[in-house]
Amino acid sequence: MQLHTSIDRSQTDAIGSTPAAVNAEALMSGYQLGDPVAATALIHQLSPLLRRYFLSEPSSRAHAEDLLQETWLRIHRVRHTYRPGEPVLPWLYAIARHVRIDHYRRATRTTAREKKLTDVTRIDESASVEQAPWDELESLLAPLPASQREVLQMLKVSGMSLEEVARATSSTVGSVKQRVHRAYKKLRESIRAPGQGERPNGVVR
Amino acid sequence: MTDTKIDQVFERVARAPHQVERAVLDRISTTLCSSLRPVRPLPANGLLIMGVLFVCGAIAFGGAARSGFFGFHALGIAARVIVLSTLGILAWVAARECVGYWIPGSRHNVTPWGFVALSCAALLSVFALLFHDYGTEHFFSAGVICLSAGVTHAIPAACIVAWLLRRGLLTEVVSGGAIAGALGGLTGVMMLELHCAKLEAPHILLWHVAVVPVSAAAGALVGWGASRFNFFARR
């Protein structure tokens, strides 16, 4: 098992201390100083990462574009909380995570009062994103609790380091390592369990 | 399926298209740039920590000054130094973590409940080492008074700390509430050590130390309530 992602880092743009990350830090400082060119460049550079983050979670996938815009509005309001010289990604993902949780809470309250139109939703989702890899991920991570799923997605899909995930989730590096270890253990157990065709919650692999 | 195959699923997802339409990006840029102004960054972490510690110290000393420094006079010099320096170190750690919770993407060295356990263990060890009078006179009546006095000082301390850090963004509301509560609890314990002259070990070990977990739990509860009603989502 590899704790760090095996994904080519150039694929994930601004990660860790890569030139792209350094560039994002400089752009963020420019954004704080009110430079519109820096703000535009930052939005173009970081939006794909944010979109992938929202796509990776089933609860936020259908609203990825809306959440992306909401996250940028939130970032704009709290841009003074970024500390120049600190890594941008954990700060960015911490805010995105906050927006996603708010969205989830709001959606839970709203959907409880709404009549379900399942077919319409399904058409919307299939039209908006290429579903196959996300469905595969969803069925793979189905047996995991939300906290373990989240750290695996950040590490393996978003390509963040343990330190960055710990900062983004407001936890310690040790706690992140423990969650990843438990997640992998649970995934192995669920895969090797008898009756492999079906998972306990009914999701078919 | 092996670990490698699990990793391959992640790899496929990471490579899946996730580009954002140019029109969407342009719309976001236009919206943000229309109200773009230079912003004043938050003060340095050290300054915020000092501010938080000053508030907590002022509340503890103010409370003790109002009620009398009977506990401080009853303690020996060594006990004063050990108790106050232990509380000072714990308050510094709590203040650092508290400031971190109000700034997204900060590094954390201990979880809020880990900190509560750590501070209780440290205080219990220090008090067990210093106090050897095992009398239990007025154990409940005096204990409840001390606990409520400690929590009464913890509440304004935690509230003023939250006000001081209001320009930040609390992304983990329950944890942030718990750590602010724990910091307030330490303020309450400091006030009790300065004021309370009842040096019986069972009294101090139970009722004084209990101020920290009780305040932390109250802080977490307030945070949970605030998150439930989306109080912080308006930011």
Side-chain angles (χ1 to χ4, degrees):
Chain A
M1 182 184 92
Q2 289 175 300
L3 281 186
H4 287 278
T5 180
S6 55
I7 302 159
D8 178 11
R9 287 221 147 196
S10 61
Q11 286 253 331
T12 56
D13 302 321
I15 308 290
S17 57
T18 59
V22 175
N23 188 26
E25 285 158 20
L27 291 174
M28 192 62 216
S29 298
Y31 180 32
Q32 282 187 321
L33 293 170
D35 178 4
V37 179
T40 307
L42 196 72
I43 290 164
H44 281 74
Q45 187 179 330
L46 299 180
S47 291
L49 299 180
L50 284 174
R51 185 167 182 265
R52 182 170 56 189
Y53 172 71
F54 292 126
L55 285 175
S56 68
E57 179 63 37
S59 65
S60 61
R61 191 176 305 159
H63 307 279
E65 303 278 315
D66 293 341
L67 287 170
L68 175 70
Q69 295 183 49
E70 203 178 322
T71 303
W72 277 111
L73 288 177
R74 190 80 56 96
I75 286 170
H76 190 62
R77 259 177 268 151
V78 299
R79 63 191 186 279
H80 61 275
T81 62
Y82 170 71
R83 294 224 178 272
E86 290 278 310
V88 175
L89 284 192
W91 179 83
L92 184 89
Y93 278 107
I95 296 170
R97 187 171 173 265
H98 187 51
V99 169
R100 191 172 77 175
I101 292 169
D102 282 347
H103 165 80
Y104 176 74
R105 286 204 188 105
R106 242 189 346 255
T108 312
R109 272 201 299 270
T110 313
T111 48
R113 298 189 198 114
E114 279 177 352
K115 191 181 175 186
K116 284 188 180 175
L117 294 170
T118 325
D119 291 342
V120 174
T121 313
R122 200 178 298 143
I123 289 162
D124 250 17
E125 282 176 22
S126 60
S128 60
V129 288
E130 198 182 302
Q131 284 287 98
W134 304 108
D135 286 343
E136 196 180 5
L137 179 74
E138 191 178 337
S139 66
L140 176 74
L141 301 184
L144 302 179
S147 61
Q148 292 175 8
R149 216 165 44 216
E150 182 178 47
V151 294
L152 272 190
Q153 282 163 358
M154 283 187 171
L155 273 173
K156 299 289 185 176
V157 180
S158 301
M160 296 164 78
S161 68
L162 286 168
E163 169 75 21
E164 286 171 329
V165 175
R167 281 171 175 249
T169 56
S170 299
S171 52
T172 60
V173 173
S175 153
V176 172
K177 277 184 186 171
Q178 193 183 47
R179 274 186 245 170
V180 174
H181 174 74
R182 284 180 183 165
Y184 262 86
K185 197 176 164 194
K186 203 161 187 176
L187 280 180
R188 272 186 231 117
E189 279 169 8
S190 67
I191 287 162
R192 284 170 196 160
Q196 293 206 343
E198 221 171 281
R199 295 191 188 253
N201 60 2
V203 178
V204 180
R205 281 204 310 273
Chain B
M1 198 187 260
T2 61
D3 285 353
T4 318
K5 286 186 178 168
I6 295 171
D7 283 340
Q8 280 169 359
V9 174
F10 287 122
E11 207 168 320
R12 272 198 294 279
V13 174
R15 288 179 201 281
H18 54 276
Q19 293 307 313
V20 186
E21 283 174 39
R22 192 156 184 95
V24 175
L25 292 176
D26 290 342
R27 196 165 59 234
I28 295 170
S29 301
T30 312
T31 310
L32 300 195
C33 290
S34 65
S35 60
L36 193 60
R37 287 189 315 272
V39 286
R40 185 166 49 94
L42 287 175
N45 271 16
L47 203 65
L48 288 173
I49 292 169
M50 292 300 286
V52 165
L53 287 177
F54 176 78
V55 165
C56 294
I59 289 173
F61 278 88
R66 199 171 60 90
S67 322
F69 285 96
F70 306 122
F72 185 73
H73 293 305
L75 290 173
I77 292 176
R80 285 176 194 170
V81 171
I82 293 170
V83 169
L84 292 181
S85 55
T86 305
L87 283 168
I89 292 166
L90 290 172
W92 177 74
V93 175
R96 216 180 57 161
E97 288 294 320
C98 196
V99 168
Y101 273 103
W102 257 266
I103 299 169
S106 294
R107 179 182 287 144
H108 296 281
N109 295 313
V110 62
T111 61
W113 300 113
F115 175 76
V116 171
L118 177 85
S119 52
C120 286
L123 290 175
L124 287 172
S125 313
V126 167
F127 291 150
L129 196 78
L130 291 175
F131 303 109
H132 301 287
D133 176 0
Y134 296 100
T136 53
E137 202 181 342
H138 306 300
F139 183 70
F140 283 102
S141 54
V144 169
I145 290 169
C146 277
L147 179 64
S148 53
V151 174
T152 306
H153 284 78
I155 293 167
C159 290
I160 295 174
V161 164
W163 178 82
L164 203 69
L165 301 172
R166 68 193 180 283
R167 283 191 73 221
L169 176 70
L170 188 57
T171 51
E172 288 289 326
V173 189
V174 176
S175 300
I179 200 78
L183 180 60
L186 288 169
T187 308
V189 175
M190 187 172 279
M191 191 285 297
L192 289 175
E193 296 317 310
L194 294 172
H195 167 65
C196 179
K198 196 171 167 63
L199 301 185
E200 290 166 354
H203 170 81
I204 294 175
L205 289 174
L206 178 66
W207 299 107
H208 287 200
V209 175
V211 174
V212 178
V214 167
S215 305
L221 199 65
V222 169
W224 177 80
S227 68
R228 198 166 165 76
F229 295 107
N230 259 9
F231 181 76
F232 292 93
R234 291 168 205 159
R235 282 296 309 269

